[in-house]
Amino acid sequence: MTLLAFNKPFNCLSQFTPEPDSPAATLADWIDFPGVYPAGRLDRDSEGLLLLTDDGRLQARLADPKHKLAKVYLAQVEGEIDAAALAALRAGVTLKDGPTRSAGAERVEEPDWLWPRNPPVRYRKSVPTSWVQLTLREGRNRQVRRMTAHVGFPTLRLVRVAVGPYRLDDLRPGEWRVIDG
């Protein structure tokens, strides 16, 4: 069994094959390790920890929400996120596809270890930003972005830092490492 931790860069698809007419990079542009496949997904415009494995059962366990592995995200949001928005995120919000489970949500400072995004997040002098750490135990399409927008603080940048016991640690964008099992 092989398990890789990969720091997926911005504008990279969570797949090895390109999409027609898409300029986005793929995992094949970064990972030269045959036989591994992503366990879960990150959107093209999200960054951070993506796990890959050659073990189908492990892949299912890591990706399937019924196993309730905590996924930890750092989100830069538009505006100064407040206690009411954080409380709503913690309680769970109702999106178009139904209510979300309760989530861990706390305001944090921008991490000093975080790399600059390329291209940078749009800067507007009149609109401040803040950071929130979210811990989810489900994985809907674009869930973090939809949740923060629902409480009035749209996500500008999203970085996944952990999946269950696996952490991004010091991997830089585009770097990967084998995790000893």
Side-chain angles (χ1 to χ4, degrees):
M1 184 218 52
T2 301
L3 182 62
L4 303 182
F6 174 58
N7 186 345
K8 189 192 87 58
F10 180 82
N11 201 27
C12 178
L13 301 174
S14 293
Q15 60 195 41
F16 283 95
T17 54
E19 289 183 348
D21 303 320
S22 172
T26 69
L27 299 178
D29 294 312
W30 302 97
I31 299 171
D32 183 20
F33 197 106
V36 295
Y37 298 93
R41 301 183 59 80
L42 274 176
D43 297 326
R44 179 173 68 187
D45 52 354
S46 297
E47 308 164 74
L49 182 62
L50 183 65
L51 298 173
L52 297 96
T53 183
D54 60 358
D55 182 314
R57 288 197 324 214
L58 177 59
Q59 182 183 25
R61 195 175 87 236
L62 291 170
D64 194 327
K66 74 179 179 186
H67 294 291
K68 297 181 179 66
L69 275 180
K71 295 177 179 76
V72 181
Y73 299 86
L74 292 173
Q76 181 182 18
V77 298
E78 188 173 280
E80 296 284 346
I81 196 159
D82 57 31
L86 292 169
L89 293 169
R90 286 185 199 111
V93 297
T94 300
L95 304 174
K96 287 182 181 176
D97 56 351
T100 64
R101 292 185 178 140
S102 59
E106 63 182 290
R107 185 174 172 153
V108 294
E109 293 300 315
E110 179 177 356
D112 57 3
W113 52 262
L114 191 61
W115 56 90
R117 195 184 83 177
N118 184 18
V121 170
R122 153 187 101 234
Y123 173 74
R124 296 184 347 201
K125 191 168 25 174
S126 62
V127 180
T129 66
S130 55
W131 287 83
V132 60
Q133 179 176 294
L134 290 163
T135 304
L136 305 182
R137 294 187 181 274
E138 60 184 330
R140 299 185 198 180
N141 186 40
R142 300 183 70 79
Q143 183 173 350
V144 170
R145 293 175 190 282
R146 293 189 299 140
M147 288 175 71
T148 63
H150 182 83
V151 298
F153 296 89
T155 295
L156 302 172
R157 184 176 183 191
L158 185 61
V159 181
R160 183 162 59 196
V161 296
V163 175
Y166 307 107
R167 301 202 52 84
L168 187 60
D169 294 330
D170 59 354
L171 284 177
R172 306 303 294 166
E175 291 182 346
W176 58 272
R177 70 172 175 273
V178 175
I179 298 174
D180 295 323

